[in-house]
Amino acid sequence: MIRPARKEDAPEVIPILMQILNDMELDAIKTYGADQIADLLIAAFASDTYRYGYLQTLVYADDQDRVQGICVGYPASAEVTIDDGLKPYLKEKHLPEDTQLFHDQEAWAKEWYLDSLAVAPDAQGQGIGGQLLDYLPTYLQPKGETKISLNVDFGNPKAKQLYLHHGFEHVGEIMIGAHHYEHLVRAI
């Protein structure tokens, strides 16, 4: 079942998210370590406004309500402030106040940006990612969204194939950190 995330989902959501963040080779993870960043994100999941807060997250939960997949996103118009919600948690976790995970713009104007889509390792290959992708138009249309975008690493052809299969089209390229990505869009 797909449902909005709840604050108490953090210990299940963040390890799934960390699969992506570790692959991105973020400076903050190199500097502070994956465990400390994961601990920070578990705390920040309670934020109403943060990029990886519970209100920006949908989950796929199994019949025992265990989180098996996640989908995180937000309107491009929120990108300017989407990381401000992390600031209160930096001090709490004894990290410098200027710590940032992201420095680059990732979304284009008038898009709802799919920041992260990931499935727990033991649940991969069961169609969970596709179900989350197919659910997004139903979830976003009532909010007035008309376009979903995402960035897929050129080094991840399997993910690109999944997105193309679910109606996304290549519209450009973008650099995020040290990685080169394809920018894909799907009209709702």
Side-chain angles (χ1 to χ4, degrees), residues 21-180:
L21 300 184
N22 285 325
D23 285 347
M24 293 180 75
E25 303 176 282
L26 299 174
D27 289 339
I29 291 175
K30 290 177 188 176
T31 303
Y32 304 109
D35 289 344
Q36 191 165 5
I37 296 301
D39 188 46
L40 170 68
L41 294 177
I42 287 171
F45 194 71
S47 170
D48 293 347
T49 58
Y50 180 51
R51 173 190 305 251
Y52 297 125
Y54 75 102
L55 290 180
Q56 280 64 249
T57 305
L58 294 172
V59 300
Y60 180 98
D62 66 13
D63 57 2
Q64 295 175 348
D65 204 34
R66 292 179 302 213
V67 176
Q68 301 292 301
I70 64 166
C71 175
V72 181
Y74 50 86
S77 60
E79 189 169 35
V80 174
T81 60
I82 200 72
D83 291 323
D84 292 350
L86 183 63
K87 291 176 184 176
Y89 300 95
L90 294 170
K91 185 175 183 180
E92 174 187 321
K93 296 299 176 178
H94 310 291
L95 290 165
E97 292 180 23
D98 62 348
T99 300
Q100 293 182 15
L101 297 184
F102 302 99
H103 305 277
D104 302 309
Q105 179 178 338
E106 299 179 40
W108 296 357
K110 299 182 182 178
E111 298 175 341
W112 186 87
Y113 179 61
L114 176 56
D115 180 285
S116 301
L117 176 75
V119 176
D122 62 347
Q124 292 178 2
Q126 298 176 23
I128 293 170
Q131 288 180 57
L132 284 162
L133 287 172
D134 288 342
Y135 180 76
L136 282 176
T138 302
Y139 177 72
L140 294 172
Q141 270 182 329
K143 298 175 183 294
E145 300 294 343
T146 60
K147 196 181 336 180
I148 303 167
S149 71
L150 59 89
N151 297 307
V152 62
D153 194 317
F154 275 95
N156 194 347
K158 186 176 178 183
K160 179 182 176 181
Q161 191 58 39
L162 171 70
Y163 299 133
L164 294 176
H165 181 75
H166 288 273
F168 286 84
E169 298 176 352
H170 173 96
V171 296
E173 299 177 9
I174 189 170
M175 288 295 292
I176 303 172
H179 287 257
H180 193 201

